[in-house]
């Protein structure tokens, strides 16, 4: 049986979904979040890395990160060039910790992850 606090949380979640709790500005952001949460790399190994490292931030607008699949947000980032982006992940950038929390990722994997997040596929 579910514990009471958890059940309460689910109820609030369901009510919010039904009543569309967000105001207009926030609901656009919320829907970008929801669609980014539904994306995963097709490659299984890359998906595993993405899920344990990048996903926790890059599907949550409040982190200030460009959301996965938000091509408009990624356009300006991609203009820096792939090697700069990989360097910025390795060294950490703004609110992003070094290696984007994937300590054993190599440059090739970071490139594939960035490509996936920037395009959503
Ligand atoms: C702890 C949260 C967090 C995690 C984990 C994380 N990121 Fe980020 N990422 C951010 C934030 C926040 C930004 C925006 C930083 C800014 O612009 O100040 C960002 C920006 C980026 C950028 C753009 C950098 C630039 O130069 O504009 C890339 C590329 C990126 N992340 C890739 C990744 C990859 C790949 C992973 C997983 C291996 C990952 N991130 C994991 C929070 C995170």
């Amino acid at each position: 049986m579910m514990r009471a606090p958890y059940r309460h949380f689910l109820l609030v979640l369901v009510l919010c979904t039904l009543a569309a709790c967000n105001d207009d500005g926030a609901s656009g952001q919320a829907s970008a979040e929801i669609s980014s949460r539904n994306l995963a790399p097709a490659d299984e190994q890359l998906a595993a890395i993405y899920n344990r490292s990048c996903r926790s931030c890059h599907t949550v607008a409040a982190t200030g990160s460009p959301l996965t699949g938000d091509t408009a947000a990624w356009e300006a980032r991609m203009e820096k060039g792939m090697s700069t982006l990989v360097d910025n992940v390795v060294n950490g950038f703004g609110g992003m910790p070094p290696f984007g929390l994937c300590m054993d990722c190599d440059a090739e994997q970071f490139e594939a992850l960035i490509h996936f997040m920037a395009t959503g596929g």
Side-chain angles (χ1 to χ4, degrees):
M1 196 178 132
M2 275 195 261
R3 284 195 293 152
Y6 185 56
R7 206 166 53 205
H8 181 71
F9 170 75
L10 279 183
L11 184 66
V12 169
L13 194 73
V14 169
L15 288 177
C16 275
T17 309
L18 292 177
C21 288
N22 295 305
D23 64 38
D24 281 340
S27 71
Q29 194 179 68
S31 68
E33 277 191 353
I34 289 163
S35 50
S36 76
R37 275 183 210 151
N38 291 332
L39 298 169
D43 181 88
E44 239 174 73
Q45 201 197 347
L46 203 67
I49 296 170
Y50 172 73
N51 284 333
R52 77 172 141 84
S53 306
C54 323
R55 188 177 192 276
S56 52
C57 292
H58 283 270
T59 59
V60 181
T63 62
S65 67
L67 297 181
T68 298
D70 183 348
T71 48
W74 277 98
E75 214 166 297
R77 311 277 180 167
M78 294 306 269
E79 279 169 11
K80 299 179 184 182
M82 188 53 94
S83 65
T84 302
L85 291 181
V86 171
D87 279 355
N88 289 351
V89 177
V90 169
N91 296 319
F93 186 80
M96 178 163 55
F99 300 100
L101 295 182
C102 182
M103 304 308 176
D104 56 351
C105 281
D106 60 27
E108 209 175 299
Q109 288 167 319
F110 283 133
E111 271 188 38
L113 288 164
I114 293 167
H115 178 78
F116 158 71
M117 293 201 287
T119 61

